[in-house]
Amino acid sequence: MALMDKHKVKRQRLDRICEGIRPPILNGPMHPRPLVALLDGRDCTVEMPILKDVATVAFCDAQSTQEIHEKVLNEAVGALLYHTITLSRDDLDKFKGLRVIVRIGSGFDNVDIKAAAELGIAVCNVPASSVEETADTSLCLILNLYRRVTWMHQSLREGTRASSVEQIREVAGGAARIRGETLGIIGLGRVGQAVALRAKAFGFGVIFYDPYLPDGVERSLGLQRMATLQDLLIHSDCVSLHCSLNEHNHHLINDFTIKQMRQGAFLVNTSRGGLVDEKALAQALKEGRIRGAALDVHETEPFSFSTGPLKDAPNLICTPHTSWYSEQASVEAREEAAREVRRAITGRIPDSLKNCVNKEYLMAASQWPSMEAASVHQELNGAAYRYPTMISVAAAGGLPGAGAGVEGLVAGSLAHGIAPVSHPPHAPSPGQPTKAEPDRDIPSDQ
């Protein structure tokens, strides 16, 4: 018995000696981990499996940076976003450690990419996931304008009977034959090319205007190239927009360019709402200068027929910015966006990035250090950071659902330990192009 007591005393003495050198047991990661935030959504179920071993994933469900929690503004190194939130220079200034922004989709006009580059932030997009969906929708709208399916359906819903030839002629008035018509495509990027190939199968003659494509593209696709926008508008029976929006092509379709179009032409826009002056379009529809229009995108979104200049416009089809969507495309876009963030965390910015849209500006900035991925701590993934001061952990579905005990753990002891990243200094003049910036007004990629 005395021998056991002696061993017990010796063990306690050794424990006291070693107490100062043993690492404490901590709740949370042993090493700093990058914080990645989904800014304008709340479902992280697709992104988490791709990022959970290299980053902590949070969601904000915000419509503006005013709704984003201070912890995200201070610590996030990566941001994922859709098209419902805008990041201007002032918004970007609020982020203290942001290094990469990935737009879940193709368009990036809701992010000031030049200001981001001046702040040392790479901006990426996912240009390929919805090419087929957008092209299919564009052609669907074009066919609808020619065959007037929407108006015939609406007429039947209102109780119109069409039994005699005269009644059919009245209900289907305006329907036109497609073969031999000329479709003019503005912007022959991925979607523009997909629309052109589909339109040819229906008998359209296809012409396009895109001054930034190299010579010979028209021959490889069997299309006719127009030298100027005016040439395309004059020769097109239907005009379809497939170019990105920037400061140079805002209201590309306006009162002046509409007057250059053929009398009674059709207009389709599945690209960006700001490309079309909706007041001028509404007036042209009322006067019959444009026979019909189909818009999936609008100057103000979410769109409503009850407000805005288009509320009384005739012969108009509108859809709520959904041409990009299918379940498959949505998942693919989210997966690729998460992989792009992962490349930024595990590699070097911008060299490791696949679709960096402001790379030319970033290359003029200082040398980029790589972001180090830290140890795995899976249960902290899916945390929600939302204004004002609520911090909670999301369940497996990316939605708040963890117990109060876990919520208290995150609120009290979550520490990413990410040192604020010093952004490169601003350029002397925000409006001055860096390097040899082309004066683009119609980018070819949607």
Side-chain angles (χ1 to χ4, degrees):
M1 189 71 174
L3 183 61
M4 292 181 63
D5 290 340
K6 186 182 295 185
H7 282 301
K8 185 176 180 180
V9 170
K10 186 176 181 180
R11 181 180 295 276
Q12 290 174 345
R13 187 163 57 246
L14 288 172
D15 286 344
R16 285 195 297 270
I17 292 172
C18 295
E19 193 174 56
I21 62 175
R22 270 203 304 253
I25 298 174
L26 299 177
N27 287 320
M30 296 289 290
H31 303 287
R33 287 170 51 82
L35 173 61
V36 176
L38 173 61
L39 300 186
D40 54 348
R42 56 185 294 114
D43 179 8
C44 303
T45 55
V46 174
E47 295 81 5
M48 282 173 58
I50 298 172
L51 292 169
K52 64 182 180 180
D53 63 324
V54 296
T56 296
V57 181
F59 64 81
C60 303
D61 197 22
Q63 300 299 308
S64 70
T65 51
Q66 294 179 346
E67 300 176 8
I68 297 177
H69 193 275
E70 184 178 358
K71 193 171 190 69
V72 172
L73 295 176
N74 289 336
E75 297 185 15
V77 297
L80 296 160
L81 71 156
Y82 294 97
H83 62 272
T84 55
I85 189 170
T86 298
L87 297 180
S88 64
R89 176 182 292 275
D90 291 338
D91 295 315
L92 293 169
D93 273 327
K94 297 177 183 179
F95 292 90
K96 306 306 179 186
L98 197 59
R99 302 275 292 284
V100 62
I101 297 170
V102 181
R103 163 76 166 84
I104 307 175
S106 59
F108 46 88
D109 51 284
N110 55 329
V111 180
D112 189 335
I113 63 172
K114 294 181 182 179
E118 291 165 5
L119 291 169
I121 304 170
V123 181
C124 308
N125 69 339
V126 183
S129 61
S130 297
V131 170
E132 295 164 286
E133 285 76 5
T134 307
D136 291 342
T137 302
S138 300
L139 198 65
C140 176
L141 294 174
I142 292 169
L143 297 178
N144 210 331
L145 290 174
Y146 272 91
R147 301 305 306 150
R148 297 189 63 81
V149 176
T150 295
W151 290 280
M152 294 182 202
H153 169 76
Q154 184 177 350
S155 179
L156 288 179
R157 294 283 292 183
E158 292 172 352
T160 302
R161 295 176 60 87
S163 56
S164 67
V165 174
E166 288 75 16
Q167 290 173 331
I168 292 175
R169 186 179 294 116
E170 182 177 351
V171 171
R177 176 178 290 177
I178 291 173
R179 183 164 299 279
E181 292 285 286
T182 300
L183 174 65
I185 295 175
I186 301 177
L188 199 73
R190 298 172 180 87
V191 175
Q193 291 181 29
V195 170
L197 295 176
R198 286 159 170 75
K200 288 178 67 177
F202 278 88
F204 279 104
V206 182
I207 62 178
F208 75 93
Y209 171 67
D210 192 328
Y212 305 106
L213 289 183
D215 290 340
V217 171
E218 64 276 12
R219 299 195 179 196
S220 64
L221 296 174
L223 308 177
Q224 184 177 354
R225 187 171 196 159
M226 296 290 105
T228 66
L229 176 61
Q230 183 179 15
D231 288 339
L232 179 130
L233 296 175
I234 291 173
H235 292 93
S236 298
D237 298 301
C238 179
V239 175
S240 189
L241 301 176
H242 301 287
C243 50
S244 300
L245 176 66
N246 57 44
E247 66 270 23
H248 303 298
N249 62 12
H250 182 258
H251 284 181
L252 180 70
I253 301 300
N254 52 52
D255 185 64
F256 176 76
T257 51
I258 287 175
K259 290 178 179 177
Q260 296 177 349
M261 295 172 64
R262 284 184 174 179
Q263 176 71 25
F266 293 121
L267 177 68
V268 175
N269 186 13
T270 57
S271 186
R272 283 294 178 266
L275 294 170
V276 177
D277 182 345
E278 292 183 351
K279 290 183 180 179
L281 174 61
Q283 188 62 34
L285 287 168
K286 292 175 183 178
E287 296 175 357
R289 285 185 286 145
I290 290 183
R291 189 173 12 159
L295 309 176
D296 179 62
V297 288
H298 311 274
E299 288 197 79
T300 301
E301 295 181 356
F303 175 76
S304 173
F305 271 112
S306 61
T307 59
L310 296 174
K311 61 182 179 180
D312 298 323
N315 297 318
L316 176 66
I317 301 172
C318 290
T319 52
H321 201 153
T322 52
S323 64
W324 62 275
Y325 183 80
S326 72
E327 189 62 32
Q328 299 94 321
S330 177
V331 172
E332 287 175 10
R334 293 172 63 184
E335 288 176 342
E336 181 56 32
R339 283 192 288 266
E340 189 77 307
V341 172
R342 186 183 179 93
R343 285 189 284 268
I345 293 173
T346 60
R348 299 187 67 84
I349 301 174
D351 297 337
S352 301
L353 301 176
K354 184 178 179 181
N355 293 298
C356 182
V357 298
N358 64 344
K359 186 174 182 178
E360 60 182 293
Y361 308 117
L362 287 171
M363 297 308 290
S366 59
Q367 185 66 30
W368 293 83
S370 59
M371 285 191 276
E372 294 184 0
S375 62
V376 180
H377 195 69
Q378 298 178 6
E379 60 266 31
L380 292 183
N381 278 283
Y385 295 84
R386 192 176 181 187
Y387 185 84
T389 56
M390 182 274 287
I391 303 180
S392 64
V393 171
L399 303 176
V406 180
E407 181 174 329
L409 165 68
V410 176
S413 63
L414 176 61
H416 302 285
I418 302 172
V421 177
S422 299
H423 294 306
H426 289 202
S429 173
Q432 182 178 358
T434 57
K435 280 197 167 184
E437 177 197 354
D439 186 19
R440 300 192 60 164
D441 63 343
I442 304 178
S444 59
D445 283 338
Q446 183 180 350

